[in-house]
Amino acid sequence: MDLGRSSVKLFLMQAGRSILLFLAVIYFARQLGASELGSLFLFQALLGLLTIPADLGVRGALEKRLSEGDHREGMLGSALALKLVLLGVVAVSIVLARSYVNRYIGFELAFILVVALITFELSSFFVQALRGELRVGETAVIRFAIRFIWVGLGVVLVTFGYGVIEIAAGFALAGAITAVWGYARCNTAIGRPSLEHARSLLEYAKFHAVSSTGGRIYQWMDVAIIGFFLSQEYVSTYEVAWQVTLLVLLVSKSIGWSIFPQVSQWDAEGELDKVEWAVSKAIAFALFFSLPALIGGTLFASEILGFLFGPEYVFGAAVLVILLVEKVFQSFDDIIESALRGLDRPDLAAITTVITAGLNLVLNPVLVVTVGFVGAAIATTVVGLISVALHTHYLSRLMTIEFPYRIVGWYALSSLVMGAILVGIRSAVPITSVGSLLAVIGVGAAIYGVLAVSIPRIRNEVIVPAIRVLV
C-alpha cells in the first residue's frame, strides 16, 4: 500500500464529504429553520450512538484481522454473522421503544432509524473490509458516494417542500446503495462462519469496542445531551458550529485512516523504525491546518455563523471558538490513536476511552445544566485534551514519539502573524456580506501559505513532500 497516495485520496474524499455536508447544512439551516434542523441532528445523533451496540468493535476487528492476511474468507463471514446478530438486537430494541424515540426527536422517525442503522452499518462494514485488504485509497469513492447521494437527495427533497422525515429516509437509501457497492468491491469472499474465527475477532473487538465507543460519544453525546435538556434551537446551533470546526480535521482524519493498516503491517514485520518515522511526519502534516484555523476562526466566529447560516445562529460564536481549540487536540489525537491501535494495543486505547467517555458522560450534563450549551463545548474540549495526553503516554511506552516541535512552533508563529494582519484588514474593511467574509478568509489563507513557504523547515519537510505525493 502506498501510504502517501492513500492519504491524498482519503484527504480529497474527506474534503469533498465535508464540503458537501457543510454546504448542505447551510442550505438546510436557511430552508428548514433552527427547530426542524435540530430534529434532524437529533436523528443523526441517535443513529451515531446506536452504532455503538450495533457494532461493539466488530468492524475494527475485521479490519485488523484482514490486514494480517490469515483466513480472510472465514474472518469476513464470521464478522458478518456477528454484525447481523447485533443489528437484529438493536433494531428490535428501537421498535419496542419507538414512542420514546419519536418523542425525543420530535418526528415519527423510529422505523426509518432502524433501516438507516442497518444500511449505514453494512456500508461501513464493507468499507472497513476494504481497508483490511490494504486498499484504503479505494474506500475514498465509496465514502464520498454515501455523502453525495444523501446530500443530493436531501437538497432535492427540501427544494420541493419535503422535510426531516424524507431527508432521513434519503440517508437510509444512501447507506443501502453504498453497502451493495462496498460488497461488490471486496476481493475477499464471504466464507463460512466459525467459532474459531469469531473468537479471534472478539478477542480484538472487546478492546476496540471500547475505543470506538469513545469516538461515537465524542461526536454525538454533547448533541444528545443538549437535546435532552434544551430545545432543538440549541441543538442546531451547536451542531452548526461543530460542522464548521470539522473542516479542520480533514488532513488528520485522512492520515489516521491511512496509517492504521500500514502500521499494523509494519508491526507484524517488526519494522518499528518505520512506524516512528511515519507518526512524526503525520503529526507535522496534521497540525499544518489546525493552528491557523484556530486563529482565523476565533477572529471571525460571529461573521461565519451569521453570514453563512443566518443571524439566529450568531449566539453560538463562543461554542465555535471553544470547539476550534478542541480540534487542535483532536488533529494530534487522530494520529496517535491510530498508531496505538495499529501496534495491536487496542487495550490501551480502550483504557483511554473508558476514562474519557466517563468524564464526558459526567461533564456534559453537569456543564450543560449549569453553564448552558457552551458547557457542552467546554466538556468536549477538556475530554479531548485528556484523551490526547493519555494516548500519547501509552504510545510513548511502545515507541519513541518524535514530536516536531520546531515545525509546530513555526506554524504557531505564522498563524499569529496572519491573525495580526487580518485584524488590521478587518478594521479597515468591515465585513458586510458572505463575499467579503470569503475574501478575507482567502487572504488569510494566502498569507499563511506565503509565510509557510518562506520557512525552510516547513518547506522542506512538509510542503515539498506533500507536492511530491500529489504529482
Side-chain angles (χ1 to χ4, degrees), residues 27 55 87 241 344 365 423 447:
Y27 183 73
D55 182 58
L87 282 172
D344 204 16
V423 169
I447 293 170

Side-chain angles (χ1 to χ4, degrees), residues 250-437:
L250 291 178
V251 174
S252 64
K253 288 293 184 186
S254 303
I255 298 175
W257 288 330
S258 294
I259 68 171
F260 170 74
Q262 187 63 77
V263 167
S264 177
Q265 186 179 54
W266 282 335
D267 178 52
E269 296 170 354
E271 296 181 303
L272 190 61
D273 57 327
K274 291 185 178 180
V275 178
E276 294 173 347
W277 173 85
V279 169
S280 179
K281 292 299 181 183
I283 293 170
F285 278 105
L287 293 175
F288 181 78
F289 295 96
S290 57
L291 290 176
L294 170 61
I295 300 300
T298 299
L299 291 175
F300 301 107
S302 296
E303 290 85 350
I304 290 171
L305 294 176
F307 287 117
L308 293 182
F309 300 95
E312 65 267 36
Y313 296 97
V314 173
F315 77 99
V319 168
L320 176 58
V321 173
I322 296 169
L323 290 178
L324 282 170
V325 174
E326 185 271 334
K327 291 303 181 290
V328 175
F329 302 145
Q330 183 63 31
S331 61
F332 179 75
D333 201 29
D334 285 337
I335 307 302
I336 301 299
E337 194 265 343
S338 291
L340 191 61
R341 290 191 299 109
L343 291 174
D344 204 16
R345 293 306 304 269
D347 55 323
L348 298 178
I351 293 172
T352 300
T353 300
V354 169
I355 295 172
T356 55
L359 285 172
N360 209 330
L361 291 171
V362 172
L363 287 177
N364 252 299
V366 170
L367 291 179
V368 166
V369 170
T370 57
V371 181
F373 82 134
V374 175
I378 296 173
T380 300
T381 302
V382 171
V383 170
L385 175 59
I386 294 172
S387 176
V388 71
L390 289 173
H391 280 140
T392 302
H393 169 70
Y394 289 130
L395 185 62
S396 66
R397 289 164 50 180
L398 305 175
M399 55 172 272
T400 301
I401 302 176
E402 296 182 5
F403 187 85
Y405 291 102
R406 291 186 179 181
I407 290 178
V408 175
W410 284 119
Y411 292 165
L413 180 60
S414 299
S415 300
L416 290 173
V417 172
M418 175 200 72
I421 295 174
L422 289 179
V423 169
I425 292 175
R426 184 171 66 175
S427 63
V429 184
I431 299 174
T432 57
S433 66
V434 174
S436 58
L437 172 63

Side-chain angles (χ1 to χ4, degrees), residues 111-183:
F111 289 107
I112 295 178
L113 181 63
V114 170
V115 178
L117 178 66
I118 293 171
T119 61
F120 181 79
E121 273 298 293
L122 289 178
S123 176
S124 300
F125 179 87
F126 288 111
V127 163
Q128 289 201 251
L130 286 171
R131 291 183 197 167
E133 294 178 345
L134 301 184
R135 297 162 61 199
V136 178
E138 296 183 38
T139 66
V141 177
I142 300 174
R143 288 183 57 81
F144 177 80
I146 191 172
R147 181 66 55 80
F148 180 81
I149 294 169
W150 173 66
V151 167
L153 287 172
V155 169
V156 171
L157 290 168
V158 170
T159 301
F160 282 94
Y162 294 98
V164 171
I165 295 177
E166 291 76 17
I167 297 173
F171 188 85
L173 177 60
I177 294 171
T178 52
V180 174
W181 187 353
Y183 167 71

